[in-house]
Amino acid sequence: MSRGKRYDDEPKLNMKKVFAVIIAIVVIVMFIFIIKGLLTKDESSGKITSESYFSVYKDNKWGVINSTGNYVTDPSYAEMIVIPNNKAGVFIVTYDTDYENGTYKTKVINEKNEEIFKGYEKIEAITNQDKNGNLLYEENVLKVQKNERFGLINLNGKEVLKPEYEEIVAVLGIENSFKIKKDGKYGIVDNEGKIVVEAKYADIDILGKDNKSGFIVKDDSGKYGIIDYSKNKVLEMKYDSIEKIYKNDLYVVVSEGKQKLVNRNGEDVLITGFDSIKEILASQENAVIFEKANKYGIMNLTGEVIIEANYDLLKESKMGIFIAKLGQKYGIINIQKEEKLPFEYTSIVYNEKADIYIAEDDKFNSNIFNSNLESKVSGILVELNETKGYLKLRVDDNYKYYNFKFEEKQESDIFPNRTMFLSKKDGKYGYTDKSGKVIVDYIYNDATEQNDYGFAAVKKDGRWGSIDRKGNVIQEPIYNLDDYLLIDFIGRWHLGLDINMNYYNQI
């Protein structure tokens, strides 16, 4: 999926704004979207291209630029141009907007400003969200409307789902999965138009992180059950509701207004001793995290309390290891209630793929621990890149890179195709080539690393501008960006102020 606000590299953190917007920073740096680098096909010419596109705003009008900063579409539209996949020359334009009546029209243009995908009443990007509620656009398909019915096309214009549905929406938090409605009933379809579940339920949702986990379904009487990916019944439709909490063939359901734990045969496993069940543990303890009187504890499946409900939060990170919260501070305990990390952090996050813990203190410094809870590195965490396997931290106004083994790496190790590398000397910033030869003198008060498009932002006398991959000044430092959380340039265009949108500005 494509974020409504796509950050294709790592724009500059404005340190003046860090303390005021630390929650936003954590979301961005922990879940920052990485450029996939997928080649796309130009439909009209068949030519393979790796061009990227961005919405821009100038003189109260919207347009599109490419990754060199040049116009693809001049700013001439009153509404923001939506680019669902910035590697594809597919731009959704909104026009004839009537705010009073809530009506509007849309069309799709390509990088030649030609209208494409004609024959539909309306074409729109499909919005979704990640687990933190950040806006996303589905990258692979668009929703089309014809004769007041909806279908799906891919970004080559091929119709993958005929326009015969009353409604198509993304399943929130799930990529490439869509809820369809037909004749008042709901089902599930994927981005290739495959009917995963026929539209025959009063409602439907995905149980876990993808279609393979199964589905929570509702019948006409308002009762819920579960079916698996093969549409086999897992739980009968007889429950008031079903939570998205399951593991080891155990499910959390609500019946007669009370939560309980049942097995796949519908037999009660745990019914008393808690107000709600928050998590089924993966460990051999055969236990659950429960909440009682707004406090969290752990009990086994016989109802025996293993850890009293004294915590403000409990979450299993690894088998038998738990991130816990007491008051406003976080720490880590084990199943024996032994304190493995003291309760002195404002947040703790476990990253399963990297197998590391990130604990932030009250000075917004991130302390990184390995799987054995040994402290390895610390600094302001700028990026955790699961794809390339590295951490990027800001330490004493310098950036440092580490792999997941905590071996320090150079910027050139992580980004071998970059042409210049940020360097600091006597309190000033400049750039060197791979051999260390200075190619941009140390004249800037602040600067960013080169982004994926060859540009870097530089600050002088309190103002920001940009340089290209050879160190040539593209935009003289004229922009006061003190109020901007993130700083990035494409040519002469700087990233917009609103971090919930993906656009660039220019005077």
Side-chain angles (χ1 to χ4, degrees), residues 15-293:
M15 300 309 295
K16 292 183 179 180
K17 304 296 291 181
V18 167
F19 301 102
V21 289
I22 190 64
I23 295 176
I25 293 177
V26 170
V27 171
I28 293 166
V29 302
M30 290 300 298
F31 302 100
I32 192 167
F33 279 74
I34 309 305
I35 281 293
K36 297 179 180 179
L38 298 175
L39 296 180
T40 58
K41 190 171 183 178
D42 184 318
E43 183 189 23
S44 60
S45 66
K47 180 179 66 176
I48 299 297
T49 176
S50 58
E51 188 68 271
S52 297
Y53 304 97
F54 307 90
S55 292
V56 292
Y57 186 64
K58 186 178 182 181
D59 299 330
N60 297 317
K61 297 291 184 181
W62 293 92
V64 177
I65 60 170
N66 59 21
S67 51
T68 65
N70 294 320
Y71 283 127
V72 176
T73 299
D74 290 339
S76 58
Y77 293 94
E79 304 293 337
M80 181 176 177
I81 297 175
V82 174
I83 305 175
N85 184 334
N86 81 338
K87 290 292 182 181
V90 175
F91 317 133
I92 302 174
V93 175
T94 302
Y95 63 101
D96 288 353
T97 303
D98 186 333
Y99 292 103
E100 184 175 340
N101 296 314
T103 61
Y104 59 93
K105 296 178 181 178
T106 65
K107 64 179 179 179
V108 179
I109 60 175
N110 63 15
E111 64 272 29
K112 297 179 181 180
N113 287 302
E114 301 166 334
E115 183 176 357
I116 55 177
F117 311 158
K118 299 179 182 180
Y120 299 103
E121 297 159 8
K122 192 175 292 183
I123 303 177
E124 296 179 292
I126 302 175
T127 58
N128 203 332
Q129 64 183 40
D130 62 19
K131 60 184 178 181
N132 298 298
N134 297 311
L135 174 67
L136 305 163
Y137 291 121
E138 292 287 343
E139 290 188 332
N140 300 311
V141 292
L142 304 174
K143 181 168 68 173
V144 295
Q145 181 179 349
K146 191 173 185 179
N147 299 324
E148 298 185 351
R149 288 293 183 265
F150 298 97
L152 297 175
I153 63 172
N154 64 23
L155 297 192
N156 290 320
K158 179 182 177 182
E159 193 170 272
V160 298
L161 187 68
K162 292 182 178 180
E164 56 186 27
Y165 296 90
E166 298 155 30
E167 184 180 314
I168 299 177
V169 296
V171 179
L172 293 183
I174 309 296
E175 187 173 0
N176 293 326
S177 292
F178 309 96
K179 182 190 289 191
I180 52 175
K181 182 180 181 181
K182 189 175 184 179
D183 298 328
K185 302 292 186 179
Y186 291 93
I188 298 290
V189 66
D190 66 17
N191 65 307
E192 295 180 348
K194 177 184 176 182
I195 303 297
V196 180
V197 178
E198 293 287 345
K200 64 179 185 178
Y201 296 97
D203 202 0
I204 189 168
D205 201 355
I206 291 178
L207 178 62
K209 296 180 179 180
D210 54 39
N211 287 337
K212 304 297 182 183
S213 61
F215 308 89
I216 300 171
V217 292
K218 179 182 179 182
D219 66 13
D220 291 336
S221 70
K223 296 298 183 179
Y224 291 84
I226 294 176
I227 61 173
D228 63 20
Y229 182 74
S230 299
K231 293 86 168 178
N232 299 312
K233 180 183 69 177
V234 176
L235 290 181
E236 290 184 22
M237 286 184 277
K238 64 179 184 178
Y239 301 101
D240 299 334
S241 64
I242 296 177
E243 307 292 338
K244 292 187 175 185
I245 302 171
Y246 71 101
K247 199 166 286 165
N248 305 329
D249 286 335
L250 298 173
Y251 304 89
V252 176
V253 302
V254 176
S255 182
E256 297 181 352
K258 175 67 176 176
Q259 259 198 13
K260 61 181 180 179
L261 188 69
V262 301
N263 61 24
R264 67 179 296 125
N265 295 322
E267 300 166 335
D268 292 346
V269 176
L270 193 59
I271 61 175
T272 61
F274 56 87
D275 294 334
S276 63
I277 296 172
K278 296 299 183 182
E279 185 177 350
I280 301 170
L281 303 188
S283 65
Q284 69 271 22
E285 302 296 334
N286 290 321
V288 300
I289 295 175
F290 71 95
E291 182 184 18
K292 189 171 185 179

Side-chain angles (χ1 to χ4, degrees), residues 8 14 33 56 163 165 178 296 299 367 386 434 454 477 502:
D8 296 318
N14 186 333
F33 279 74
V56 292
Y165 296 90
F178 309 96
Y296 288 70
M299 67 171 62
N367 300 279
E386 294 182 353
K434 287 183 181 180
N502 179 29

Side-chain angles (χ1 to χ4, degrees), residues 354 356 368 376-377 384-385 388-393 400-410 413-414:
I356 62 175
I368 317 296
K376 305 302 291 186
V377 296
L384 190 159
N385 189 312
K388 293 185 178 180
Y390 69 81
L391 300 163
K392 179 181 177 181
L393 292 93
K400 290 190 176 183
Y401 289 91
Y402 300 89
N403 62 21
F404 292 161
K405 295 180 180 179
F406 301 103
E407 298 166 335
E408 186 169 356
K409 297 294 182 179
Q410 299 301 312
D413 297 328
I414 305 296

Side-chain angles (χ1 to χ4, degrees), residues 238-501:
K238 64 179 184 178
Y239 301 101
D240 299 334
S241 64
I242 296 177
E243 307 292 338
K244 292 187 175 185
I245 302 171
Y246 71 101
K247 199 166 286 165
N248 305 329
D249 286 335
L250 298 173
Y251 304 89
V252 176
V253 302
V254 176
S255 182
E256 297 181 352
K258 175 67 176 176
Q259 259 198 13
K260 61 181 180 179
L261 188 69
V262 301
N263 61 24
R264 67 179 296 125
N265 295 322
E267 300 166 335
D268 292 346
V269 176
L270 193 59
I271 61 175
T272 61
F274 56 87
D275 294 334
S276 63
I277 296 172
K278 296 299 183 182
E279 185 177 350
I280 301 170
L281 303 188
S283 65
Q284 69 271 22
E285 302 296 334
N286 290 321
V288 300
I289 295 175
F290 71 95
E291 182 184 18
K292 189 171 185 179
N294 297 317
K295 296 291 183 178
Y296 288 70
I298 297 175
M299 67 171 62
N300 64 25
L301 299 188
T302 67
E304 177 188 1
V305 174
I306 300 171
I307 295 179
E308 293 289 340
N310 295 323
Y311 296 92
D312 295 292
L313 185 70
L314 276 176
K315 182 175 178 61
E316 188 176 42
S317 55
K318 295 173 69 72
M319 186 175 291
I321 302 295
F322 305 89
I323 297 172
K325 183 181 181 184
L326 280 174
Q328 299 302 313
K329 297 294 185 179
Y330 289 82
I332 292 180
I333 63 173
N334 62 16
I335 195 68
Q336 289 80 34
K337 295 183 285 188
E338 297 171 331
E339 189 175 289
K340 309 303 289 185
L341 275 187
F343 287 83
E344 60 184 30
Y345 299 98
T346 57
S347 71
I348 298 177
V349 176
Y350 174 68
N351 185 282
E352 184 176 5
K353 188 166 185 178
D355 197 17
I356 62 175
Y357 293 86
I358 301 151
E360 188 177 90
D361 61 27
D362 55 10
K363 295 182 180 178
F364 311 116
N365 190 65
S366 292
N367 300 279
I368 317 296
F369 297 84
N370 65 13
S371 60
N372 296 320
L373 296 173
E374 299 167 329
S375 180
K376 305 302 291 186
V377 296
S378 64
I380 295 175
L381 182 62
V382 177
E383 183 183 357
L384 190 159
N385 189 312
E386 294 182 353
T387 304
K388 293 185 178 180
Y390 69 81
L391 300 163
K392 179 181 177 181
L393 292 93
R394 187 174 176 113
V395 182
D396 297 329
D397 291 330
N398 292 309
Y399 291 114
K400 290 190 176 183
Y401 289 91
Y402 300 89
N403 62 21
F404 292 161
K405 295 180 180 179
F406 301 103
E407 298 166 335
E408 186 169 356
K409 297 294 182 179
Q410 299 301 312
E411 183 187 348
S412 56
D413 297 328
I414 305 296
F415 303 102
N417 295 324
R418 286 184 176 175
T419 57
M420 58 184 188
F421 301 90
L422 187 63
S423 179
K424 189 177 183 181
K425 181 179 179 182
D426 299 329
K428 297 286 188 178
Y429 291 89
Y431 294 85
T432 66
D433 63 16
K434 287 183 181 180
S435 68
K437 178 183 176 181
V438 176
I439 57 177
V440 175
D441 289 336
Y442 297 91
I443 61 173
Y444 295 106
N445 305 114
D446 206 348
T448 69
E449 293 180 352
Q450 185 180 30
N451 63 27
D452 281 350
Y453 311 104
F455 300 100
V458 291
K459 187 178 186 181
K460 191 175 184 181
D461 300 327
R463 306 281 173 162
W464 286 93
S466 67
I467 59 177
D468 67 12
R469 64 181 65 249
K470 295 181 180 179
N472 300 315
V473 174
I474 299 300
Q475 173 61 62
E476 292 288 346
I478 62 172
Y479 291 104
N480 181 344
L481 303 179
D482 288 348
D483 291 331
Y484 287 64
L485 174 62
L486 298 172
I487 298 171
D488 186 45
F489 276 78
I490 302 294
R492 298 182 63 237
W493 300 84
H494 67 83
L495 193 63
L497 179 62
D498 188 344
I499 64 172
N500 293 308
M501 299 170 65

